[in-house]
């Protein structure tokens, strides 16, 4: 779309603004998703101190109860 607009310089600039608005919205949504994932991962990380065998791992136990796996 942006390339098409570049090839058609008579088009109003607001079309480019609209495209950028859509991209900014998409980036903000992805950032929010990544921040939520970071929070879940940090929570999982706190579930294990690494001082015991894998079969007793709090992270694996927590994963079995969540949708993150």
């Amino acid at each position: 779309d942006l390339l098409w607009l570049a090839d058609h310089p008579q088009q109003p600039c607001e079309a480019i603004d609209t495209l950028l608005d859509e991209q900014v919205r998409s980036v903000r949504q992805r950032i929010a998703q990544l921040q939520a994932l970071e929070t879940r991962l940090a929570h999982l990380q706190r579930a294990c101190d690494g001082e015991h065998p894998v079969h007793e791992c709090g992270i694996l136990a927590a994963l079995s109860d969540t949708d993150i796996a």
Side-chain angles (χ1 to χ4, degrees), residues 20-55:
L20 287 179
D21 285 342
E22 292 170 4
Q23 288 301 310
V24 168
R25 208 172 12 259
S26 176
V27 167
R28 287 181 178 155
Q29 181 179 19
R30 185 66 180 140
I31 287 170
Q33 292 169 341
L34 289 170
Q35 287 172 330
L37 177 58
E38 177 186 24
T39 299
R40 290 194 307 255
L41 290 173
H43 176 77
L44 285 174
Q45 192 174 33
R46 289 188 299 272
C48 184
D49 61 12
E51 298 295 325
H52 46 267
V54 170
H55 72 277

Side-chain angles (χ1 to χ4, degrees), residues 52-69:
H52 46 267
V54 170
H55 72 277
E56 296 175 4
C57 181
I59 293 172
L60 293 178
L63 282 173
S64 68
D65 294 334
T66 67
D67 63 345
I68 204 169

